[in-house]
Every structure is written in structure tokens, then in C-alpha cells.
């Protein structure tokens, strides 16, 4: 499971669809509607939020908006209400790690999207997140 901290506009089609599916899985986990992946480290930041379900819904709403911008038809009926919730912190080191990781994926999977972001040195976060100084997050599984 990868719940990107990067803005969803950086993802290619395959990455955006995978993020939607994985986000819906996280949604089901946080709503106690599945038994799998309950201890996945990517969920820690949502579970530690004061309103985890509102946070994952808000996260997914931004993914949905990106899908609509691209002309895709994701089912917004799978989401809870779109309500405000506090932003979740993400470190600058985490964003840099994810950008590097995504570039590696795109280099072989979608060369057009790779060319769009290959010169990018500093990435924008997903709008749910606010960037703070720091290294890679402790929940990240390094490759």
C-alpha cells in the first residue's frame, strides 16, 4: 500500500488508479470494514489524526478531483462527506524520498509523465498534508 504524500497530479494513470484503490482500502480499514492490513505503517498518520475517517475521506476527495480533471470516472459514492479536517504533517525528507521513488517508477512505466517531472527538485504535497522540516518518516519502508 502506498498512500502518496505527493500531490496526485504527479502520478501517471496507473499510479492514480492504484492510489484510488489503495485509498479505498485504507478507508475500509479505518471504518473497520475489512480485516486485512490493519497494522500497515502507511495508515499510522491517519490513525494518529484526531479525525482519521474525515482525514482519509478528505485525502480521497482530492484524488477524486484529480481523476475528474483528467476525465476519469471514479465513483465518489464510495466516499464519506467532504468535511474540513486538520492538515497532517509530512516531512520534507519524506516528500523528497517519494519524489525520487516516483521518478524511478515513471522512468520505466510512463516516459511522458517522467519527462514532465524529471527536472522537478521540490514537490508539492497532497493538499491534506503540510510540510515540516525533517528526514524520511519513520513509517516509510525504505528500498
Amino acid at each position: 500500500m502506498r498512500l502518496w504524500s505527493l500531490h496526485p497530479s504527479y502520478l501517471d494513470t496507473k499510479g492514480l488508479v492504484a492510489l484510488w484503490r489503495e485509498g479505498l482500502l485504507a478507508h475500509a480499514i479505518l471504518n473497520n470494514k475489512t480485516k486485512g492490513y490493519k497494522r500497515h505503517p502507511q495508515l499510522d498518520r491517519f490513525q494518529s489524526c484526531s479525525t482519521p475517517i474525515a482525514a482519509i475521506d478528505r485525502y480521497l476527495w482530492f484524488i477524486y478531483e484529480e481523476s475528474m480533471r483528467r476525465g476519469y470516472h471514479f465513483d465518489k459514492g464510495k466516499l464519506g462527506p467532504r468535511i474540513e479536517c486538520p492538515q497532517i504533517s509530512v516531512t520534507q525528507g519524506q516528500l523528497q524520498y517519494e519524489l525520487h521513488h516516483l521518478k524511478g517508477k515513471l522512468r520505466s512505466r510512463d516516459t511522458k509523465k517522467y519527462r514532465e517531472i524529471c527536472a522537478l527538485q521540490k514537490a508539492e504535497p497532497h493538499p491534506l498534508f503540510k510540510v515540516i522540516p525533517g528526514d524520511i518518516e519513520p513509517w516509510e519502508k525504505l528500498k
Side-chain angles (χ1 to χ4, degrees):
M1 178 186 294
R2 170 143 314 264
L3 300 174
W4 294 94
S5 306
L6 297 170
H7 195 283
S9 63
Y10 298 129
L11 299 174
D12 62 334
T13 299
K14 193 174 195 175
L16 190 67
V17 170
L19 179 58
W20 177 251
R21 283 192 326 263
E22 291 167 6
L24 289 174
L25 174 59
H27 189 269
I29 293 166
L30 293 171
N31 280 290
N32 291 317
K33 293 189 176 176
T34 186
K35 294 181 186 202
Y37 288 110
K38 286 189 181 253
R39 302 252 187 259
H40 198 284
Q42 289 261 341
L43 293 174
D44 288 353
R45 57 188 166 167
F46 290 93
Q47 290 168 325
S48 64
C49 181
S50 62
T51 55
I53 294 169
I56 194 66
D57 278 325
R58 187 112 173 108
Y59 181 86
L60 283 163
W61 274 106
F62 286 110
I63 308 307
Y64 172 78
E65 285 176 354
E66 179 63 22
S67 77
M68 294 302 292
R69 188 183 72 71
R70 296 184 191 192
Y72 306 153
H73 301 284
F74 291 4
D75 182 4
K76 71 178 178 181
K78 295 182 181 216
L79 306 179
R82 184 177 191 150
I83 58 174
E84 291 296 320
C85 67
Q87 282 188 298
I88 298 172
S89 297
V90 64
T91 60
Q92 185 62 44
Q94 181 64 32
L95 274 183
Q96 288 304 112
Y97 174 79
E98 288 185 23
L99 180 60
H100 177 75
H101 184 62
L102 179 60
K103 285 178 181 180
K105 286 181 170 291
L106 294 179
R107 187 178 298 119
S108 61
R109 187 170 77 194
D110 188 329
T111 54
K112 181 181 176 197
K113 194 69 174 174
Y114 173 72
R115 283 192 304 271
E116 286 178 27
I117 70 164
C118 70
L120 191 63
Q121 296 299 313
K122 184 178 178 188
E124 292 296 315
H126 180 290
L128 178 64
F129 300 111
K130 66 178 176 191
V131 182
I132 61 170
D135 294 327
I136 297 172
E137 297 280 0
W139 48 258
E140 180 63 69
K141 298 224 178 203
L142 298 175
K143 300 217 179 215

